Amino acid sequence: MSASDTIWTSLPVPALIIDGADCVEKVNPAAELFLNLSARSLNGKNVLERLSIAAPLEEIFHRVRHNRSDLFVNDVDVTTGERAPVQCNLQAAPVGDDPDRVMLLISPREIADRLGRASMVKTAARSAIGMAEMLAHEIKNPLAGIAGAAQLLSMNLTGDDLELTDLIVDETRRVVKLLEQVEQFGNLRLPERKPVNLHDILDRARKSAEVGFGAHMLIEEDYDPSLPNTWGDPDQLTQVFLNLLKNASEAARGQGRIRLHTFYDYALRLRREDGSGQALPLQVEIIDDGPGLPPDIAGSVFEPFVSGRENGTGLGLALVSKIISDHDGWISVDSAPGRTVFRVSLPIAPKEV
């Protein structure tokens, strides 16, 4: 057995090699065990015929082949129809120099539990969020008093003493802001959905960015003028695109280019565990020319408290993911140095409304 075959069979997570026709070319033992299907029953079969994955696999494979870079999707249900759905993280990656073959890695939570990794992080995150929700109000009140007292003291101070009171005020405001973000993440209401013009939402977010955190960024529009309305909550969708614009701006350190790209994809559907599909034809891409995501967090950027920035809270993208999920949509990221693309896929507003 070659070294590459040894590594392949030793992978602790299910892995499949997909050929240019989206058929299974090879599976590892972990995939056979997880899917409860033999390699013989999988090889040569279209992956969509054998697996039900709540993510648009055709789109994922297309983007990996086109961009020649990894793509990560978190928190999707995977089933073969013969077992209960299991929530997993997906990673799709090109295979060597082959332009067509794609490796699909499936990381089930049950395997992460056995390995003692992701589940511990997520449990800690949930506990921290729950604790913050309970204590945020009680903490913010004394913080406001501390900031007010420091401001009163500063009226009679100069020099180094004044710098210290200013530091107290700045730090208390920063902590309050963090608590407010945690509260928002934990207490987000369900969307109040209605027909929404995505370009109106994007314009609203762009104008807000241009007078604030994105003042030194070049924000370009590349819109499909025929894009129909989506079915969503205007305020929550505005929050989504504001967070994505802020993320792009901070990644570029306020000096770079962001492109807002909308288009219609007739083929994009989200597969459900019962085999049915949810059409998600409305596509919005936030594209920046920053340094890209750090490789060690690229697969978990939508999880709470995961951040690639110093002093980052790691809640902005987690909030984005939660809102898009509540809108029956899909979000993914494709990142490489010089080009990071966050894509949001949403359904069309129903005609009878």
Side-chain angles (χ1 to χ4, degrees), residues 301-341:
V301 291
F302 297 114
E303 297 176 9
F305 302 124
V306 174
S307 176
R309 299 191 312 274
E310 186 178 357
N311 297 323
T313 64
L315 292 175
L317 291 178
L319 178 63
V320 164
S321 179
K322 186 178 189 301
I323 292 174
I324 294 303
S325 177
D326 288 344
H327 280 74
D328 301 320
W330 178 67
I331 183 168
S332 67
V333 60
D334 184 1
S335 183
R339 189 177 190 273
T340 295
V341 182

Side-chain angles (χ1 to χ4, degrees), residues 42-56:
L42 286 167
N43 288 342
K45 304 295 193 306
N46 187 292
V47 66
L48 297 175
E49 295 176 359
R50 304 303 293 166
L51 303 180
S52 177
I53 297 180

Side-chain angles (χ1 to χ4, degrees), residues 222-264:
D222 182 10
Y223 293 167
D224 178 353
S226 63
L227 205 68
N229 288 340
T230 190
W231 185 239
D233 184 309
D235 291 336
Q236 290 191 10
L237 289 178
T238 300
Q239 185 65 48
V240 163
F241 296 121
L242 271 173
N243 281 12
L244 291 176
L245 284 169
K246 185 176 182 181
N247 186 77
S249 179
E250 291 178 343
R253 297 177 180 175
Q255 295 183 347
R257 179 176 307 201
I258 299 173
R259 184 160 67 97
L260 306 178
H261 181 211
T262 67
F263 60 101
Y264 195 95

Side-chain angles (χ1 to χ4, degrees), residues 53-61 268-271 280 330 345:
I53 297 180
L57 281 186
E58 303 100 322
E59 174 65 19
I60 291 172
F61 295 155
L268 187 55
R269 300 182 69 84
L270 190 70
R271 287 177 65 85
L280 300 175
W330 178 67
S345 305

Side-chain angles (χ1 to χ4, degrees), residues 108-156:
R109 298 299 175 80
E110 59 189 35
I111 291 179
D113 288 344
R114 290 202 298 270
L115 295 175
R117 296 182 306 196
S119 65
M120 294 178 62
V121 175
K122 290 181 180 295
T123 299
R126 285 195 295 269
S127 299
I129 290 172
M131 182 65 70
E133 289 175 13
M134 289 187 293
L135 298 178
H137 180 71
E138 297 301 323
I139 294 174
K140 286 196 298 182
N141 281 341
L143 282 175
I146 292 170
Q151 288 175 316
L152 288 174
L153 286 173
S154 67
M155 297 173 64
N156 298 314

Side-chain angles (χ1 to χ4, degrees), residues 163-319:
E163 289 183 9
L164 288 175
T165 56
D166 288 343
L167 177 62
I168 293 171
V169 172
D170 290 342
E171 288 301 295
T172 53
R173 286 175 177 170
R174 185 180 64 83
V175 175
V176 168
K177 185 178 180 181
L178 172 60
L179 291 172
E180 288 173 345
Q181 287 180 302
V182 175
E183 283 184 304
Q184 183 184 23
F185 180 80
N187 299 322
L188 186 69
R189 59 173 172 78
L190 291 175
E192 298 177 4
R193 301 171 75 175
K194 63 182 181 181
V196 175
N197 185 309
L198 278 171
H199 294 153
D200 289 344
I201 298 297
L202 287 169
D203 287 343
R204 180 176 165 189
R206 176 182 56 77
K207 290 175 182 176
S208 179
E210 287 177 338
V211 298
F213 55 81
H216 299 291
M217 299 292 294
L218 175 61
I219 303 179
E220 301 175 335
E221 298 175 357
D222 182 10
Y223 293 167
D224 178 353
S226 63
L227 205 68
N229 288 340
T230 190
W231 185 239
D233 184 309
D235 291 336
Q236 290 191 10
L237 289 178
T238 300
Q239 185 65 48
V240 163
F241 296 121
L242 271 173
N243 281 12
L244 291 176
L245 284 169
K246 185 176 182 181
N247 186 77
S249 179
E250 291 178 343
R253 297 177 180 175
Q255 295 183 347
R257 179 176 307 201
I258 299 173
R259 184 160 67 97
L260 306 178
H261 181 211
T262 67
F263 60 101
Y264 195 95
D265 187 341
Y266 294 90
L268 187 55
R269 300 182 69 84
L270 190 70
R271 287 177 65 85
R272 301 189 185 280
E273 62 188 69
D274 60 4
S276 64
Q278 164 73 56
L280 300 175
L282 308 184
Q283 313 300 315
V284 180
E285 291 184 334
I286 312 295
I287 307 167
D288 71 69
D289 57 1
L293 294 171
D296 58 326
I297 68 164
S300 54
V301 291
F302 297 114
E303 297 176 9
F305 302 124
V306 174
S307 176
R309 299 191 312 274
E310 186 178 357
N311 297 323
T313 64
L315 292 175
L317 291 178
L319 178 63

